Amino acid sequence: MGARFEKLVMDLLPALGLAPKTTRLKIFREGVEVGEVDIVAIDEKGDTYAIEVKAGKVDISGVRQAYVNAMLMGAKPLVIARGYADEGARQLALGVEVVLLPDYIFLSLDDLYTAFASGLARFFKAVLSLYTNLYQYLDYIKECQDMECICKKISCKELFKKLPKEARNIEMISLVLELHNAMPMICEEVDQCIRFLKSTNKPCGSQSRENTP
């Protein structure tokens, strides 16, 4: 992933007014390796840039690394990433030029599949965690339409400590409430399916397909 993203960055550099000169440049001081620059590029004025490439979001360590490497080789620091890991990285980067690329840039179908699978896994994890931790309170909050109402009935502060960040919003809580309300019907469908499987060797659902013209 990192290598493919770096190649994409190389192709984008001319659009930024930069001409790539070399990659993976090692920096030595008194015969000791003290750093490595992902890409070295030069602009139209002849200024040299030490570019730190991050396939994901850049954190404080990445910003600091870009700055130190650039100072060691007398170049200008530049970070190219998909975003900031946190506010600390954003604040530290005030003295470093940063180019942010959109999160939706995918380098291959494998990258798209990986992103989709990862997002789906986080979604189900959030739903399961929310349902488990909210189960005993669902009847109390079923009429709530916003977080203010929910937090008046239960301790949101304590609840949020137990939840992944994807689950800390009214949309996910509403989804879990809908799932809870639909659970009796879902269980009845599953029970019917199990009884059908026990009575025949046919796959579940084959009966309805046979009755369909």
Side-chain angles (χ1 to χ4, degrees), residues 51-91:
I51 304 173
E52 180 75 14
V53 179
K54 295 295 182 184
K57 296 183 178 181
V58 62
D59 56 14
I60 289 178
S61 177
V63 174
R64 185 180 294 117
Q65 182 180 350
Y67 180 81
V68 171
N69 285 345
M71 294 305 101
L72 286 172
M73 60 179 295
K76 294 183 177 181
L78 173 61
V79 175
I80 298 180
R82 296 194 185 194
Y84 294 104
D86 50 40
E87 185 59 26
R90 186 189 301 274
Q91 293 299 322

Side-chain angles (χ1 to χ4, degrees), residues 132-197:
T132 301
N133 286 284
L134 265 184
Y135 181 77
Q136 58 183 319
Y137 307 113
L138 290 176
D139 289 334
Y140 299 121
I141 65 173
K142 61 183 180 181
E143 302 299 330
C144 288
Q145 301 295 320
D146 53 44
M147 290 302 301
E148 182 179 1
C149 173
I150 293 173
C151 292
K152 285 181 179 179
K153 295 178 179 291
I154 63 176
S155 174
C156 288
K157 182 177 180 180
E158 294 301 317
L159 173 65
F160 286 173
K161 289 180 181 179
K162 305 173 185 178
L163 300 176
K165 62 181 181 180
E166 293 88 354
R168 303 172 189 171
N169 58 75
I170 187 63
E171 288 79 12
M172 288 296 292
I173 293 176
S174 298
L175 176 62
V176 167
L177 283 170
E178 291 179 12
L179 178 64
H180 178 67
N181 293 334
M183 194 59 69
M185 181 181 66
I186 295 174
C187 291
E188 176 62 25
E189 291 291 333
V190 172
D191 186 56
Q192 290 182 11
C193 189
I194 292 175
R195 290 199 300 268
F196 177 73
L197 286 173

